[in-house]
Amino acid sequence: MNAQTPGAPTEAPTCYRHPGRETYVRCTRCDRYICPECMRDAAVGHQCVECVREGNRSVRQARTVFGGQVAATPVVTYTLITLNVLAYVAEVLSERVVDRFAMLGVWVDQFGMVRPGGVADGEFHRLITAAFLHSPPGSSFSITHILFNMWALWVLGSQLEQVLGRWRFTALYLLSALGGSVLLYLVNPTGAAVGASGAIFGLFGAFFVVAKRMNAPTGGIVTLLVLNLVITFTVSGISWEGHIGGLIVGGLLTAAFAFAPRANRTALHVAAVAGVFLLLMVLVVVQTVRLSDVTML
């Protein structure tokens, strides 16, 4: 056993994560030595990275007024815009994209004969894929169609996503888009349509409901909605069924989000989403059966 020489220098403490770095600062939570790179400001002193991470796990996540997790970045809105833009690029590269994925209930040729194709023929994907397509270049609306819808999605979506939370906003957008396609399928199954307008009108309705629930001014959204409704019913080539279907679904679903009691709120929101989806699917099945009977005559 070697005795230490009195007065000999002691070994300097080092960071527990970086043994080669000398430090005399300790984590106020675990008392381990930490270097400047590993320091995190705390209410008193500094904490190490691991203690901060562990503390965050035990802190209850902040919630929005409607029960969603607070998210500063509208990731879902960014993603939806990206998907729409990518779909538009695909349309530019191939004309077959619109033919294969546009909303179409039944296909009727120029002689009035029903041909295989459309939702009634089992192509149910058209009910949602049409919402990510827009008027191709050279059409009557051209690029203005996607530009307006993406502008509206950015303005309304980024705000609604922060208020509702990500999964509620995702459900709102997709079910509004689906609602527009379903109403078109019910009212005008031979009509074809593309566009995110059904989902956008759902956001119009959602924004109005949220503003009413939070006692915020509604004049701006009402003006925008009325203007778009006037355009919907006065300009030819616009599917009013898609717009109205999205508006109804978006407004009703958001009302369920906004006015559900706090007790078991998340479960009620999930039930509302599932209920709206099942109702739309029942309507699709009923219409498909009816169209099958008609086309077999």
Side-chain angles (χ1 to χ4, degrees):
M1 184 174 182
N2 297 324
Q4 186 175 0
T5 304
T10 58
E11 185 178 353
T14 59
C15 175
Y16 83 98
R17 296 179 73 227
H18 304 96
R21 302 179 184 177
E22 295 183 4
T23 180
Y24 291 90
V25 178
R26 295 174 183 263
C27 171
T28 57
R29 185 168 181 176
C30 67
D31 204 37
R32 292 180 291 189
Y33 286 101
I34 50 178
C35 67
E37 182 179 342
C38 300
M39 294 178 190
R40 299 294 184 268
D41 291 333
V44 177
H46 300 85
Q47 291 186 6
C48 66
V49 176
E50 293 181 9
C51 286
V52 170
R53 185 183 302 117
E54 187 65 27
N56 289 337
R57 291 176 182 173
S58 61
V59 175
R60 184 177 179 180
Q61 293 292 327
R63 295 282 176 175
T64 69
V65 67
F66 300 120
Q69 290 188 1
V70 175
T73 304
V75 174
V76 177
T77 300
Y78 290 152
T79 302
L80 291 172
I81 292 175
T82 301
L83 292 175
N84 277 275
V85 172
L86 290 176
Y88 190 77
V89 172
E91 292 179 48
V92 174
L93 297 177
S94 174
E95 296 180 354
R96 297 181 59 188
V97 172
V98 174
D99 293 334
R100 294 182 60 183
F101 297 103
M103 176 55 204
L104 180 68
V106 293
W107 181 50
V108 180
D109 62 22
Q110 67 261 26
F111 304 106
M113 300 296 294
V114 177
R115 301 296 184 184
V119 177
D121 195 45
E123 297 178 350
F124 298 106
H125 62 273
R126 292 178 179 268
L127 292 164
I128 194 65
T129 56
F132 291 91
L133 303 176
H134 288 83
S135 299
S139 63
S140 57
F141 296 103
S142 187
I143 197 172
T144 58
H145 191 200
I146 186 173
L147 287 179
F148 173 79
N149 281 342
M150 294 305 98
W151 170 81
L153 175 54
W154 165 249
V155 172
L156 300 177
S158 58
Q159 297 183 63
L160 287 171
E161 183 177 348
Q162 292 183 15
V163 173
L164 297 176
R166 288 173 180 167
W167 79 260
R168 291 171 179 81
F169 175 71
T170 303
L172 166 67
Y173 187 90
L174 295 178
L175 288 178
S176 296
L178 184 61
S181 295
V182 170
L183 186 59
L184 177 62
Y185 188 46
L186 295 175
V187 176
N188 184 21
T190 61
V194 293
S197 300
I200 298 302
F201 267 75
L203 301 188
F204 286 156
F207 202 94
F208 175 79
V209 172
V210 167
K212 294 293 289 184
R213 175 65 176 80
M214 300 179 70
N215 295 318
T218 58
I221 190 63
V222 169
T223 300
L224 185 60
L225 177 57
V226 170
L227 177 61
N228 278 273
L229 286 174
V230 171
I231 295 174
T232 297
F233 288 102
T234 57
V235 177
S236 61
I238 294 180
S239 170
W240 66 265
E241 298 92 344
H243 293 186
I244 299 303
L247 178 63
I248 293 173
V249 171
L252 291 178
L253 184 59
T254 307
F257 290 159
F259 296 100
R262 287 186 175 274
N264 301 318
R265 179 168 56 183
T266 300
L268 292 173
H269 290 176
V270 172
V273 170
V276 171
F277 177 75
L278 289 176
L279 175 60
L280 293 175
M281 289 300 95
V282 168
L283 293 175
V284 169
V285 171
V286 171
Q287 177 70 335
T288 301
V289 172
R290 189 188 73 81
L291 292 174
S292 299
D293 293 339
V294 172
T295 55
M296 291 177 61
L297 296 178

